[in-house]
Amino acid sequence: MRRLLGGVALVVAAAGCASGSSGGSAAPQPTVTVTRTVGAANSATPSPTPTSGASNLFLTAAIRQQLVDAKADEAHLRHSAFVGLYKGSAFYARDNSTGIYWAAASVVPSGSSVKAQVYSQDEGGYNIFELQPNGTWSVYDAGRDGPEARTGAQCPVKIPADVLQVWHWAPNTCDPPISE
């Protein structure tokens, strides 16, 4: 929960995940953000969900696990082959005009899984995740080496411009800016 002073806005993020008895991964449940603006009389007025642009969202533990599991599924490995997301590598947003959720992150391989370590190198070193409405996460390996690494010339998927903007990424790229 986050409270901003000034125009006093309250943002609450919640996520859930359904579990199946088949042993498969949990069904993706997008984070829901509720915004309320509190006026001088302390009355709350719900704000409508935007229908255009993108919303930068809080990446909950449940969504983080869904991304880790999606990477394991993409690599045809057990979910335990990956143990989390690298700190500072994760981004999460919703394209409000399409309802598609986008995420990006580097997934941490388990020290005991050589296959996961191999899948986390080179092209698999950074991943773009896409969740269509009522779908499952799709994973795109976006890590690259060489001069094309920061140009977006070989992005495996086109991330919407509005999503790139809320993430503060350069236009037409598929990885975050370099922190120096």
Side-chain angles (χ1 to χ4, degrees):
M1 184 180 326
R2 179 176 62 193
R3 181 173 289 178
L4 302 174
L5 301 175
V8 186
L10 174 66
V11 178
V12 179
C17 60
S19 60
S21 58
S22 64
S25 64
Q29 298 295 318
T31 295
V32 177
T33 302
V34 178
T35 304
R36 292 190 304 157
T37 303
V38 180
N42 229 7
S43 64
T45 309
S47 298
T49 302
T51 57
S52 64
S55 298
N56 200 20
L57 303 174
F58 179 74
L59 193 56
T60 66
I63 299 296
R64 286 177 180 274
Q65 189 61 52
Q66 289 175 20
L67 300 178
V68 169
D69 292 347
K71 179 63 179 181
D73 291 343
E74 183 239 359
H76 305 291
L77 297 172
R78 283 187 245 158
H79 291 176
S80 62
F82 296 96
V83 296
L85 304 178
Y86 280 103
K87 183 178 180 179
S89 76
F91 296 82
Y92 184 44
R94 180 179 186 268
D95 181 345
N96 296 321
S97 61
T98 63
I100 297 172
Y101 288 83
W102 292 89
S106 290
V107 180
V108 180
S110 167
S112 62
S113 176
V114 174
K115 287 183 179 183
Q117 293 171 26
V118 170
Y119 272 97
S120 298
Q121 296 177 3
D122 302 325
E123 286 82 14
Y126 200 74
N127 303 277
I128 305 299
F129 300 86
E130 176 186 21
L131 178 63
Q132 296 280 337
N134 300 316
T136 58
W137 286 105
S138 297
V139 181
Y140 303 93
D141 294 336
R144 293 178 307 285
D145 291 328
E148 73 280 353
R150 300 285 173 215
T151 65
Q154 296 183 8
C155 290
V157 63
K158 182 165 177 49
I159 302 170
D162 290 337
V163 171
L164 293 173
Q165 185 176 14
V166 299
W167 286 350
H168 305 288
W169 290 16
N172 301 314
T173 59
C174 58
D175 52 358
I178 298 174
S179 298
E180 294 182 24

